[in-house]
């Protein structure tokens, strides 16, 4: 992020760089502070603050430090642009971060600005239409359509869906999987997530996928797919990669380029499968796999501790947002009131 080091703290740090014992530590302080949030967040803040800076230059207003009135009017400007609430928040926090980092008086802590932010969020807020979760019946339909094939393209799709469902995987976790992250045991498959949204300190999470013995067994599907694809345990190979068609043999194979599939491509092939089994594409998304597995587990009485650990949720609120209670559980609330 292109930060500006202006405040008194940075003047003191600059003086310390002249001290032989403090020079190296003082010089690296900027990078240490930047590591306080993810690199992707840093890039987003950089992009959004650059837009704020350009807007200030056009309007003739100062941007660092900014006045409270400047930030409030900018938030109002974003409302007129009909941005999403998440984009609004990102712009606000990019301005806040820049002022904090530069050690300058921060307009984003001003009550006037905070009230403007809340008002802008209320105006921009829209009803949330969550995608429907995938059910066991849907998984079985996907397996019948693609799981009995010997085609690498079909097996890739089937494995992606069943593994995503069984492991409560986010899209980013699923496509980031490599063969080196997987260990096959006698009763289960162990998958180590090197990078996960909620694993901010990179301690790693191990997801255990059981061998069920059923035709839709996620471990059996996984093994069938990697065998057909020529993937080996321990290799530094992305599991879900692009495929190419070989005219000479009339078959598909994984592309040699070791690169994970993009969100757009995975969404495209997933929604294609949803359509093929007779469902409406508009009602489902990639998060439907994670939500589906979580919903089934919750309604089957899996303990809160195991449920939260398997799904890698950082908070109760985030966890509960994924679960769609079935009718029997909803009825049981009033049925057990003793009246």
């Amino acid at each position: 992020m292109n930060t500006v080091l202006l405040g008194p703290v940075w003047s003191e740090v600059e003086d310390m760089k002249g001290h032989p014992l403090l020079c190296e530590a003082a010089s690296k302080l900027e990078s240490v502070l930047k590591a306080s949030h993810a690199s992707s967040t840093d890039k987003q803040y950089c992009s959004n603050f650059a837009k704020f800076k350009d807007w200030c230059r056009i309007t003739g207003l100062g941007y660092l430090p900014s006045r409270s009135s400047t930030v409030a009017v900018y938030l109002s400007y974003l409302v007129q642009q009909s941005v999403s609430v998440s984009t609004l928040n990102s712009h606000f926090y990019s301005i806040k971060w820049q002022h904090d980092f530069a050690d300058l008086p921060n307009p984003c802590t001003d009550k006037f600005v905070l009230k403007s932010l809340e008002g802008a969020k209320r105006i921009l807020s829209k009803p949330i239409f969550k995608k429907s979760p995938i059910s066991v019946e849907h998984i079985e339909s996907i397996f019948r359509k693609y799981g009995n094939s010997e085609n690498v393209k079909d097996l890739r799709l089937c494995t992606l869906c069943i593994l995503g469902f069984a492991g409560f995987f986010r899209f980013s976790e699923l496509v980031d999987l490599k063969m080196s992250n997987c260990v096959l045991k006698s009763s289960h498959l162990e998958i180590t997530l090197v990078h996960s949204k909620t694993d901010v300190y990179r301690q790693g999470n191990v997801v255990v996928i059981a061998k069920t013995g059923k035709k839709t067994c996620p471990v059996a599907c996984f093994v069938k797919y990697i065998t057909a694809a020529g993937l080996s345990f321990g290799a530094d190979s992305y599991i879900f990669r692009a495929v190419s068609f070989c005219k000479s043999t009339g078959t598909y194979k994984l592309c040699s380029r070791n690169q994970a599939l993009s969100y757009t491509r995975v969404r495209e092939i997933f929604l294609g499968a949803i359509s093929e089994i007779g469902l409406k594409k508009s009602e489902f998304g990639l998060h439907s796999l994670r939500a589906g597995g979580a919903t089934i587990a919750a309604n089957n009485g899996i303990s809160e501790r195991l449920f939260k650990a398997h799904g890698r949720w950082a908070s109760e609120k985030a966890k509960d947002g994924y679960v769609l209670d079935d009718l029997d559980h909803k009825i049981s609330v009033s049925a057990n009131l003793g009246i």
Side-chain angles (χ1 to χ4, degrees):
M1 185 174 182
N2 298 323
T3 47
V4 181
L5 316 179
L6 297 175
V9 168
W10 287 109
S11 295
E12 294 172 5
V13 171
E14 196 63 32
D15 292 340
M16 292 179 191
K17 290 180 181 179
H19 193 293
L21 298 178
L22 301 175
C23 179
E24 185 176 2
S27 298
K28 291 184 178 180
L29 179 59
E30 183 178 352
S31 61
V32 170
L33 286 173
K34 285 182 179 180
S36 63
H37 55 232
S39 59
S40 58
T41 303
D42 190 68
K43 290 178 182 178
Q44 188 64 59
Y45 281 2
C46 181
S47 173
N48 287 337
F49 190 78
K51 293 175 184 176
F52 172 65
K53 186 164 61 173
D54 289 342
W55 179 84
C56 287
R57 284 172 173 166
I58 292 171
T59 56
L61 299 171
Y63 62 88
L64 204 63
S66 300
R67 292 178 179 272
S68 299
S69 57
T70 299
V71 178
V73 172
Y74 183 65
L75 295 176
S76 179
Y77 163 77
L78 292 175
V79 171
Q80 309 314 309
Q81 303 304 306
S82 300
V83 301
S84 66
V85 172
S86 61
T87 298
L88 179 80
N89 280 329
S90 184
H91 277 268
F92 173 80
Y93 286 111
S94 69
I95 297 169
K96 184 178 185 296
W97 166 251
Q98 274 284 9
H99 283 78
D100 283 343
F101 198 100
D103 185 32
L104 294 170
N106 201 325
C108 294
T109 59
D110 187 276
K111 289 183 179 179
F112 180 74
V113 174
L114 292 173
K115 286 290 184 183
S116 299
L117 176 65
E118 287 304 311
K121 286 162 117 176
R122 282 176 178 267
I123 293 171
L124 294 172
S125 292
K126 300 175 182 177
I128 298 174
F129 297 101
K130 290 192 174 181
K131 299 295 186 180
S132 300
I134 290 293
S135 68
V136 172
E137 290 73 21
H138 298 153
I139 289 294
E140 290 174 344
S141 295
I142 289 172
F143 179 83
R144 284 194 296 271
K145 182 72 177 179
Y146 302 99
N148 294 314
S149 172
E150 299 300 323
N151 188 321
V152 169
K153 184 180 179 182
D154 290 342
L155 293 176
R156 179 190 64 176
L157 170 59
C158 185
T159 304
L160 191 147
C161 292
I162 293 179
L163 202 62
F165 182 86
F168 303 179
F169 286 115
R170 300 176 178 89
F171 158 79
S172 57
E173 296 171 340
L174 199 56
V175 297
D176 203 36
L177 291 180
K178 292 184 175 182
M179 289 303 299
S180 56
N181 305 137
C182 305
V183 178
L184 186 62
K185 303 285 188 176
S186 59
S187 61
H188 62 277
L189 176 69
E190 286 185 3
I191 300 176
T192 301
L193 299 181
V194 180
H195 304 296
S196 181
K197 179 180 177 181
T198 53
D199 184 23
V200 294
Y201 297 114
R202 300 294 183 257
Q203 296 174 336
N205 285 308
V206 176
V207 180
V208 176
I209 306 295
K211 290 182 179 179
T212 65
K214 297 182 178 181
K215 60 182 180 181
T216 53
C217 172
V219 179
C221 290
F222 177 82
V223 171
K224 183 177 181 180
Y225 164 63
I226 64 169
T227 301
L231 295 170
S232 303
F233 283 99
D236 187 43
S237 307
Y238 283 107
I239 296 170
F240 300 110
R241 307 207 307 262
V243 296
S244 58
F245 182 71
C246 302
K247 290 183 178 179
S248 59
T249 59
T251 59
Y252 285 91
K253 67 176 183 178
L254 289 186
C255 291
S256 58
R257 187 178 182 185
N258 190 28
Q259 182 175 336
L261 289 172
S262 68
Y263 172 84
T264 303
R265 182 57 183 145
V266 175
R267 184 176 182 275
E268 180 183 15
I269 60 178
F270 170 70
L271 292 181
I274 288 297
S275 181
E276 284 292 320
I277 63 172
L279 300 175
K280 293 182 179 179
K281 294 192 292 184
S282 59
E283 296 179 2
F284 297 88
L286 289 176
H287 250 48
S288 295
L289 294 170
R290 178 169 165 81
T295 293
I296 299 300
N299 288 325
N300 284 341
I302 301 299
S303 75
E304 284 286 310
R305 184 180 65 82
L306 286 174
F307 178 80
K308 188 176 177 181
H310 190 74
R312 304 162 301 285
W313 280 288
S315 69
E316 292 296 319
K317 182 179 179 181
K319 169 184 69 68
D320 292 341
Y322 279 85
V323 176
L324 183 66
D325 294 309
D326 63 25
L327 182 59
D328 289 341
H329 284 82
K330 290 179 179 178
I331 292 174
S332 69
V333 177
S334 56
N336 288 283
L337 295 179
I339 57 174

